[in-house]
Amino acid sequence: DRGRVVVVGGGFGGATAARFLARAGHDVTLVERDASYVTCPFSNTVLGGFARMSDITFGYDGLAAEGVQVVQGEAVGVADGTVTLASGDALPFDRLLLSPGVELRYDALPGYSEDAAQKMPHAWKGGPQTELLRSQLTNMEDGGLVVIAPPANPYRCPPGPYERASLIAHYLSAAKPASKILILDAKEAFSKQALFEEAWATLYPGMIEWIPPSGGGRVAEVDPSTMTVVTDFGRYDAAVANIIPPQRAASIAQVAGVADQTGWCPVSGLTFESDLVPGIHVIGDACMAGAMPKSAFSANAQAKVAAVAIDALLRGESATSPKLLNTCYSLAAPGYGFTVAGAYGEADGKLFEIEGAGGVSPLDAPESVRSAEADYARSWYATITTEAFA
Ligand code: FAD
């Protein structure tokens, strides 16, 4: 039977799910506020100066051609089986799928705000923020201090800040070699840490310094008017400050009542249906998917599981227990990549990591391994953007 499915959010999760639900024969409406989508994955290659914004920007014509009704608009309400848009339009649904991504918590760091982000960009959403950070880097004088301040877990893309430090170093080491990058971290350890530290020592000796909270690295306050970053132990005058605040599920998740007090959305690992509101499914960064990290790879994998489950439920059948994969690729330079991978199963509605099925790239690997992994990263990006947007 054809069902009416509304999908909110045309990012990696929503675009993929809309496509697979349309292919299954359902009546699918995709609501997305923007006319085009700028990916966060590979946005660090723009910051590194070896890709352009146009390389990471995608439209929705491909989805429309597959029969998805693409509506550009802002979803502002969810009640009684209907999504309301800011325009006033109402979209009734049999099942609603939310993949709205994250909202930045501007209230979480004294001195930081939406306005402050115009001077100290987070660049944690693709688009104007990416361009702002890139232009600050290109305008910076040689010898300047670039501060990167990553948040505590959980947040969108655990290895992202460290890939960013690497690719900014790639740019600076050629263009402004007297500059320094200081990572002021809110956590004691980070994803693929040993691999990043090995890459930094090999590729950019002396350029990148990482300070965890125990070393005084936790950022307590920022002042965008003076470009000062204040930590527990000191003050830094930044030429460029990339402040990445803590996050939570985007606001439509709160509006729909599917986010809990953590700010994220508890869901069934079998169907990605909300634990809080029946009939609403949540995938991607907004949901809590056990040990799966908040990545585009995860959002895309969850989209396919949720689409198959929604199709089954609309046909009056039950969902079958899924297996999901995630791989996070990171580039430390254009020809230097490495990965962390995981596999996940479901039991009693909970997702668990399958022991021994994942792992990280080896340390001390030959250059050929690093360059092959950089090629895999580019192939992965081409594949996932084709599956979501082409
Ligand atoms: P999103 O992709 O954010 O999509 C959400 C969409 O919903 C947006 O387009 C938004 O406009 C729309 N929306 C939200 N609310 C509404 C509303 N009310 N009405 C209408 N539209 C709405 N992941 C990887 O797997 N590999 C990587 O290499 C990688 N690199 C990254 C690098 C950086 C610097 C960053 C920041 C992230 C990176 N990620 C990477 C993570 C990846 O970007 C996210 O995990 C992924 O985008 C999550 O997809 P999503 O569908 O949950 O949300």
Side-chain angles (χ1 to χ4, degrees):
D1 287 352
R2 279 171 77 89
R4 291 167 310 175
V5 185
V6 173
V7 177
V8 175
F12 282 100
T16 305
R19 182 186 301 278
F20 281 83
L21 284 160
R23 282 187 189 166
H26 300 291
D27 196 346
V28 182
T29 305
L30 174 67
V31 181
E32 166 58 47
R33 72 161 69 90
D34 296 322
S36 58
Y37 179 80
V38 181
T39 70
C40 281
F42 275 68
S43 64
N44 290 329
T45 69
V46 174
L47 299 177
F50 55 101
R52 291 157 305 179
M53 289 299 285
S54 57
D55 298 328
I56 60 166
T57 304
F58 298 85
Y60 294 101
D61 292 351
L63 284 179
E66 278 217 44
V68 174
Q69 276 244 55
V70 181
V71 174
Q72 192 187 343
E74 173 89 19
V76 293
V78 179
D80 305 327
T82 303
V83 174
T84 318
L85 306 188
S87 64
D89 287 353
L91 303 170
F93 61 81
D94 300 314
R95 295 253 159 201
L96 172 62
L97 185 139
L98 301 178
S99 190
V102 297
E103 170 172 281
L104 299 158
R105 289 183 42 206
Y106 288 111
D107 58 343
L109 176 64
Y112 204 63
S113 64
E114 210 166 342
D115 278 350
Q118 297 309 311
K119 289 206 74 186
M120 297 179 151
H122 51 76
W124 222 238
K125 292 193 178 181
Q129 281 277 306
T130 317
E131 290 178 283
L132 177 61
L133 183 53
R134 173 64 189 161
S135 71
Q136 290 185 345
L137 292 165
T138 53
N139 293 333
M140 185 182 104
E141 282 176 21
D142 191 11
L145 176 68
V146 178
V147 170
I148 300 177
N153 295 319
Y155 65 99
R156 157 176 286 182
C157 196
Y162 314 95
E163 179 190 68
R164 175 169 289 175
S166 310
L167 297 187
I168 290 177
H170 168 74
Y171 165 68
L172 294 177
S173 57
K176 303 168 191 193
S179 309
K180 280 209 68 172
I181 299 171
L182 185 60
I183 305 173
L184 297 173
D185 215 325
K187 53 195 172 304
E188 292 296 327
F190 60 88
S191 174
K192 292 181 272 190
Q193 183 164 349
L195 286 157
F196 277 111
E197 289 178 339
E198 181 187 67
W200 296 343
T202 310
L203 301 169
Y204 316 114
M207 185 171 260
I208 301 175
E209 188 185 354
W210 173 73
I211 310 184
S214 56
R218 190 189 71 93
V219 175
E221 195 183 335
V222 296
D223 184 347
S225 68
T226 55
M227 291 296 284
T228 311
V229 180
V230 183
T231 65
D232 291 341
F233 292 8
R235 305 172 72 85
Y236 300 92
D237 293 321
V240 173
N242 171 213
I243 306 295
I244 307 165
Q247 296 137 40
R248 65 177 169 223
S251 65
I252 191 66
Q254 334 280 331
V255 169
V258 292
D260 70 11
Q261 70 288 347
T262 64
W264 305 104
C265 306
V267 293
S268 152
L270 182 61
T271 58
F272 287 86
E273 186 165 5
S274 167
D275 287 347
L276 305 178
V277 185
I280 304 183
H281 301 249
V282 189
I283 59 170
D285 289 355
C287 80
M288 295 190 244
M292 289 190 88
K294 300 187 185 301
S295 71
F297 197 121
S298 294
N300 170 271
Q302 293 161 7
K304 288 179 257 184
V305 168
V308 169
I310 289 171
D311 176 53
L313 294 169
L314 287 169
R315 287 187 290 104
E317 294 171 10
S318 46
T320 46
S321 187
K323 292 276 188 301
L324 297 104
L325 298 175
N326 174 67
T327 305
C328 285
Y329 296 89
S330 293
L331 294 177
Y336 189 118
F338 42 77
T339 46
V340 55
Y344 307 87
E346 178 272 340
D348 299 325
K350 299 270 174 262
L351 292 173
F352 64 89
E353 187 156 7
I354 299 169
E355 275 199 38
V360 293
S361 304
L363 285 166
D364 267 330
E367 209 183 293
S368 58
V369 170
R370 300 289 184 239
S371 76
E373 291 221 82
D375 288 341
Y376 302 152
R378 278 183 279 273
S379 307
W380 166 77
Y381 183 73
T383 304
I384 195 170
T385 53
T386 299
E387 193 165 276
F389 305 108

